[in-house]
Amino acid sequence: DDRVYFVTNKNEEQGIKDIRKIINNSNYEESWLYLPEKQTWYELGIKGYDEGIRSQNKDIEKILEKNKNVKELIFYHNHPKKEKWKKVDNYPSFTDLNALISKIKDFPDYKIKDKICSPEGIMEYFITKDMIKELNNKKIDLSQLFSQSKDGNSLYVDFDYIKMNFKPFKNKK
């Protein structure tokens, strides 16, 4: 339900377990903001559909207003297994990378990471503050760090700046 947002106090591991349950019972992407200093999860997604999810900056701003002393924001979303695709994409999409860049620009005072939870594991992707400073000094726009082919089938990423780490689940259930 897009009108009701849930908040829960759990550590990161417990929250991931909950997301894994959702993945197994949904064909839609969902999104959350996890505040590690508070061990609190906030549901963010609106207008969930089978190929994406959106969140609103005004909702994130309200959360940050209530949590003034946090320094790190971890944004999670899931990539459910979709029958029509017969596979799960563990990597961020072009849209996912654009969303990361937008969050970095919109919330520059925070350490920001994005993570995708799929049935296979967690894909973390981020740009460090030092890398952002270096890019700003070189006058390189963050959106120049990746591009998509004209047919939309290929994604090119500058891994010197965008870091990705995949951690497979030990237990696939």
Side-chain angles (χ1 to χ4, degrees):
D1 185 344
D2 285 340
R3 296 164 301 202
V4 178
Y5 295 99
F6 295 95
V7 177
T8 186
N9 293 312
K10 295 183 177 188
N11 67 30
E12 193 167 11
E13 185 178 323
Q14 292 166 324
I16 290 169
K17 285 180 183 177
D18 288 347
I19 294 172
R20 290 182 73 189
K21 290 176 191 170
I22 291 168
I23 289 171
N24 293 329
N25 296 309
S26 176
N27 289 323
Y28 298 99
E29 287 192 13
E30 305 277 348
S31 66
W32 302 268
L33 170 59
Y34 176 63
L35 304 178
E37 293 106 329
K38 302 275 188 163
Q39 292 198 352
T40 303
W41 290 82
Y42 292 87
E43 183 183 20
L44 292 177
I46 62 161
K47 300 198 184 284
Y49 53 101
D50 66 345
E51 294 182 23
I53 191 76
R54 287 195 325 230
S55 56
Q56 300 271 350
N57 276 358
K58 66 181 181 182
D59 296 327
I60 298 167
E61 289 164 2
K62 286 179 192 173
I63 292 166
L64 297 177
E65 189 65 32
K66 294 177 187 175
N67 297 280
K68 292 184 184 281
N69 60 341
V70 299
K71 294 180 178 26
E72 183 175 8
L73 310 177
I74 302 176
F75 292 90
Y76 270 88
H77 74 279
N78 64 310
H79 280 184
K81 185 173 184 176
K82 299 171 187 153
E83 287 302 315
K84 66 180 181 179
W85 294 351
K86 303 289 186 212
K87 69 177 188 81
V88 175
D89 193 352
N90 295 313
Y91 291 92
S93 67
F94 184 76
T95 304
D96 293 337
L97 291 171
N98 268 321
L100 171 64
I101 299 303
S102 292
K103 290 173 208 159
I104 289 168
K105 288 179 178 179
D106 293 342
F107 304 102
D109 297 330
Y110 299 91
K111 177 181 177 185
I112 294 177
K113 289 185 181 178
D114 268 7
K115 295 186 181 187
I116 298 168
C117 187
S118 73
E120 283 80 29
I122 301 290
M123 171 61 81
E124 172 184 68
Y125 54 107
F126 60 95
I127 303 173
T128 68
K129 290 273 189 194
D130 289 339
M131 289 182 228
I132 293 168
K133 284 179 192 172
E134 181 182 332
L135 290 165
N136 288 337
N137 289 339
K138 291 180 179 179
K139 306 237 184 297
I140 297 173
D141 189 296
L142 294 176
S143 62
Q144 294 175 314
L145 298 179
F146 59 93
S147 62
Q148 190 171 22
S149 63
K150 288 182 183 177
D151 64 7
N153 291 326
S154 299
L155 182 65
Y156 305 98
V157 178
D158 185 337
F159 289 109
D160 288 337
Y161 295 102
I162 297 177
K163 301 300 178 191
M164 294 185 193
N165 301 311
F166 182 72
K167 295 179 185 163
F169 293 127
K170 292 176 184 167
N171 176 356
K172 299 287 184 191
K173 295 182 182 180

